[in-house]
Amino acid sequence: MEVNGSRKRETYHHGALREELVEACVRLIEAEGIAAVSLRRVAREAGVSPGAPYHHFADRAALLSAISARGFELLTQDLLGAVGRRGTTSGGDEVARTVAAYVAFARRQPGHFQVMFRPELSEPEKHPAVQEAGDAALQVLTELVGRLGVADPHALGLTLWATGHGLAALALDGLLTQKAETWDTDPDDLLARAVGQIGRSVDALTGLPGETRQHEA
Amino acid sequence: MEVNGSRKRETYHHGALREELVEACVRLIEAEGIAAVSLRRVAREAGVSPGAPYHHFADRAALLSAISARGFELLTQDLLGAVGRRGTTSGGDEVARTVAAYVAFARRQPGHFQVMFRPELSEPEKHPAVQEAGDAALQVLTELVGRLGVADPHALGLTLWATGHGLAALALDGLLTQKAETWDTDPDDLLARAVGQIGRSVDALTGLPGETRQHEA
DNA sequence: TCTCCAGTCTGAGCAGTGTTCAGATTATGA
DNA sequence: TCATAATCTGAACACTGCTCAGACTGGAGA
């Protein structure tokens, strides 16, 4: 079952194989899941022999790393867009919008997202570009939280990162839809309510006297 | 490189192969990561031929499903333990303890945890036991949240599940330690602060008049 | 106690995988 | 124009998941 038909080339050299491999791989993940991704299969989709990819990527992990790094770049752009938007009424609103952007990204780019948070696939310790791109994305959240004036911005940044990631993972795995059915609500609505609640709780946290007192001690 | 030495048997029949396969698999994940897990390798670790596991598990996914289901059972026990403990001063405290138990589980049973949230490995749609065990674990959180009297318990339950899972995933992937270094703090302390913050924000949420008003409308 | 059989295990085999490599082909730049 | 570097092919190797015929054996029924 070919996702792209793997039409034959008339030229010996492909011309833009690197890009096509990345695209074919993302397409494949979105269509059949990460389990269906093999380098040979990706090569086939791109209409190229099994050995060809190795002139552009050191190994399978390198291809997935490229996708992961690109994904973090796209995510960073989305987060920056959410943070920079006008009409902010409170820090909580801004946080809610950012978390929503996080989840929206995962649903719009499921192929990238599924690779980004599976470190055993992309071996980030061998591919520092992934680490750097990931740090840049987290940085957006950290700076946003820093402006909120909360007592422990690092802890909050970490929590928001974890929550955004967790919600996105649940949405992708179908657990969100499943739970929404059990609870007899709309999945998108459920998600929106969860995100809104996060925003309100952040607002509550910034206004808490107990929060600031903690670090004064 | 053998994790367990794969010592020879003197009997033709193993006797408790099913259990040993599960244990060897968990051991392997903890020692070398999920990428190193192959059924042949697990069979070798158990000192048995490549075909033997198929008398106990339909396929690779079935073995991983068994581990996943068992993991959810262990998690449920831990969560129940955290919920039922004495000395609760507020709903937020109880939530914080439960989230902490979630993260602690992931760190104590990394082998199980890594399989539990990778649905493409265990194919839960084919193995309903995994779904059921997972639902039971989530149920603990849902009931806890239900007792808090918050306006939208479903949304909060989902968020807490996502946050607990996200924090645990970050802790396992080493991102927590990495960030702690960047921020010049202790990873365990950072985690404890994040969890405590979640508890306080839940307390803030339950006391918010705006929360209850939403559902009165 | 013997016998038989269902459950267990072996080992060969198939198709598919990641990766390497010699050799064929072609773009590039001197 | 032509050597060189980059790219691609296809065969090969060791590995994987999985199947299956046949070897083994614990235990129930005679």
Side-chain angles (χ1 to χ4, degrees):
Chain A
M1 220 194 300
E2 305 283 339
V3 167
N4 190 29
S6 72
R7 53 207 177 280
K8 269 186 188 167
R9 268 169 299 125
E10 65 280 0
T11 55
Y12 186 86
H13 286 321
H14 183 286
L17 183 54
R18 190 176 215 281
E19 288 70 24
E20 177 145 354
L21 287 172
V22 169
E23 285 166 24
C25 188
V26 171
R27 232 184 296 130
L28 203 48
I29 299 172
E30 290 172 358
E32 303 183 26
I34 195 108
V37 170
S38 73
L39 255 195
R40 291 179 104 103
R41 175 80 190 277
V42 171
R44 232 177 293 141
E45 297 281 342
V48 108
S49 83
Y54 289 88
H55 292 274
H56 300 275
F57 298 99
D59 51 19
R60 188 186 121 111
L63 168 59
L64 294 173
S65 290
I67 293 175
S68 183
R70 178 75 187 129
F72 277 116
E73 289 170 20
L74 293 172
L75 175 60
T76 304
Q77 287 176 18
D78 282 14
L79 293 184
L80 283 173
V83 168
R85 220 181 302 156
R86 302 285 173 112
T88 302
T89 54
S90 75
D93 279 358
E94 207 172 359
V95 167
R97 270 211 319 274
T98 309
V99 173
Y102 198 124
V103 177
F105 168 82
R107 307 179 99 180
R108 191 155 21 86
Q109 306 278 6
H112 287 90
F113 187 82
Q114 287 185 63
V115 181
M116 287 159 62
F117 296 96
R118 279 177 179 46
E120 83 276 6
L121 292 179
S122 53
E123 301 179 3
E125 67 280 2
K126 285 187 189 172
H127 306 273
V130 181
Q131 291 259 8
E132 289 164 23
D135 284 354
L138 179 50
Q139 184 73 16
V140 178
L141 253 180
T142 309
E143 282 176 9
L144 163 60
V145 169
R147 285 198 305 275
L148 291 181
V150 77
D152 194 343
H154 291 157
L156 184 56
L158 194 73
T159 303
L160 289 178
W161 181 258
T163 306
H165 172 50
L167 285 178
L170 292 180
L172 275 188
D173 295 349
L175 222 150
L176 180 70
T177 319
Q178 186 193 316
K179 277 296 136 195
E181 273 178 28
T182 314
W183 294 333
D184 202 30
T185 49
D186 180 64
D188 290 327
D189 186 49
L190 179 60
L191 200 57
R193 274 150 48 205
V195 170
Q197 209 174 40
I198 292 167
R200 282 193 299 280
S201 72
V202 166
D203 275 339
L205 213 54
T206 52
L208 268 187
E211 260 297 296
T212 16
R213 227 186 296 133
Q214 184 178 312
H215 265 225
E216 285 166 7
Chain B
M1 222 193 299
E2 305 284 336
V3 167
N4 190 29
S6 72
R7 54 207 175 280
K8 267 186 189 168
R9 266 170 301 127
E10 63 281 0
T11 56
Y12 185 87
H13 286 313
H14 183 287
L17 184 53
R18 190 176 214 280
E19 289 70 24
E20 177 145 353
L21 287 172
V22 169
E23 284 166 25
C25 188
V26 171
R27 231 183 297 130
L28 203 49
I29 299 173
E30 291 172 358
E32 303 184 25
I34 194 111
V37 171
S38 72
L39 256 195
R40 292 179 104 103
R41 175 79 191 277
V42 171
R44 233 177 293 143
E45 297 281 343
V48 109
S49 83
Y54 290 90
H55 292 276
H56 301 275
F57 298 100
D59 51 18
R60 189 185 120 110
L63 169 59
L64 294 174
S65 290
I67 293 174
S68 181
R70 178 76 187 127
F72 277 117
E73 288 170 21
L74 293 172
L75 175 61
T76 304
Q77 288 175 19
D78 282 15
L79 293 184
L80 283 173
V83 168
R85 221 182 300 157
R86 303 284 173 111
T88 301
T89 55
S90 75
D93 277 0
E94 207 171 1
V95 167
R97 271 212 317 275
T98 309
V99 172
Y102 198 123
V103 177
F105 168 83
R107 307 180 97 182
R108 191 155 20 86
Q109 307 277 7
H112 288 90
F113 186 82
Q114 287 184 63
V115 180
M116 287 158 62
F117 296 97
R118 280 176 178 46
E120 83 276 7
L121 292 179
S122 53
E123 302 179 3
E125 69 279 2
K126 285 187 190 171
H127 306 272
V130 180
Q131 292 259 6
E132 288 163 23
D135 284 353
L138 179 51
Q139 185 73 15
V140 178
L141 252 180
T142 309
E143 282 176 9
L144 163 60
V145 169
R147 286 198 306 275
L148 291 181
V150 77
D152 193 344
H154 291 157
L156 185 54
L158 195 73
T159 303
L160 288 178
W161 182 259
T163 307
H165 172 51
L167 284 177
L170 292 179
L172 274 189
D173 296 349
L175 222 150
L176 180 69
T177 318
Q178 187 193 315
K179 279 294 134 196
E181 273 177 29
T182 315
W183 295 334
D184 203 29
T185 48
D186 179 65
D188 290 328
D189 186 51
L190 179 59
L191 199 57
R193 274 148 49 203
V195 170
Q197 209 173 42
I198 292 167
R200 283 193 300 279
S201 73
V202 167
D203 275 338
L205 214 53
T206 53
L208 268 187
E211 262 296 296
T212 15
R213 226 186 297 133
Q214 185 177 312
H215 265 225
E216 286 166 7

